[in-house]
Amino acid sequence: QLQLVESGGGSVQPGGSLRLSCAASGDTLDSYAVAWFRQAPGKKREGVSCMSNSGAGTGYVDSVKGRFTISRDNAKNTVYLQMNSLKPEDTAVYYCATTYHSGSTCPPLDILEYDYWGQGTQVTVSS
């Protein structure tokens, strides 16, 4: 059974940066597409970014394009989300998710497309 554990969340001022990590265990990630989602208080969980199992394909929600970068290190079985130029509206619990999927693109950023989820890590952007 694949398990995911996120880390790296915290509090940061607007304009700051954080790097989230998602460590996988129970299976290797090289056959899985990976994604990051977030959920702000009172809002639905939304997809932020995804990456294909090969790393060749990525996707981002418009609100984070140019600021966030997803990456993966299959040797470490870990996925990352580098978040720069953070804004107060980025405040949310961030979740790592994966699904068994091979191809040059990642599945749509829809919660129904991803089967395994981490417990989440809080990101707070505030002055």
Side-chain angles (χ1 to χ4, degrees), residues 56-114:
T58 58
Y60 297 90
V61 67
D62 285 347
S63 60
V64 307
K65 284 181 180 176
R67 300 189 297 123
F68 290 11
T69 303
I70 190 171
S71 62
R72 62 191 298 163
D73 186 337
N74 285 347
K76 295 183 178 180
N77 230 24
T78 301
V79 182
Y80 304 97
L81 185 68
Q82 178 67 44
M83 305 186 296
N84 298 328
S85 302
L86 282 161
K87 304 176 180 180
E89 51 264 43
D90 294 318
T91 295
V93 177
Y94 282 72
Y95 298 91
C96 174
T98 69
T99 188
Y100 192 85
H101 182 273
S102 294
S104 59
T105 61
C106 47
L109 284 169
D110 185 313
I111 60 173
L112 297 178
E113 296 286 340
Y114 293 84

Side-chain angles (χ1 to χ4, degrees), residues 4-5 15 17 24 31 35 40 44-45 49 52 54 56 61 65 67-68 81-82 85 92-93 96 106 122-124 126:
L4 305 172
V5 178
S17 298
S31 295
K44 293 182 179 180
R45 192 170 299 189
S49 180
S52 64
S54 67
V61 67
K65 284 181 180 176
R67 300 189 297 123
F68 290 11
L81 185 68
Q82 178 67 44
S85 302
V93 177
C96 174
C106 47
Q122 176 71 45
V123 171
T124 302
S126 174

Side-chain angles (χ1 to χ4, degrees), residues 31-42:
S31 295
Y32 291 79
V34 296
W36 288 94
F37 288 74
R38 66 186 179 186
Q39 188 166 18

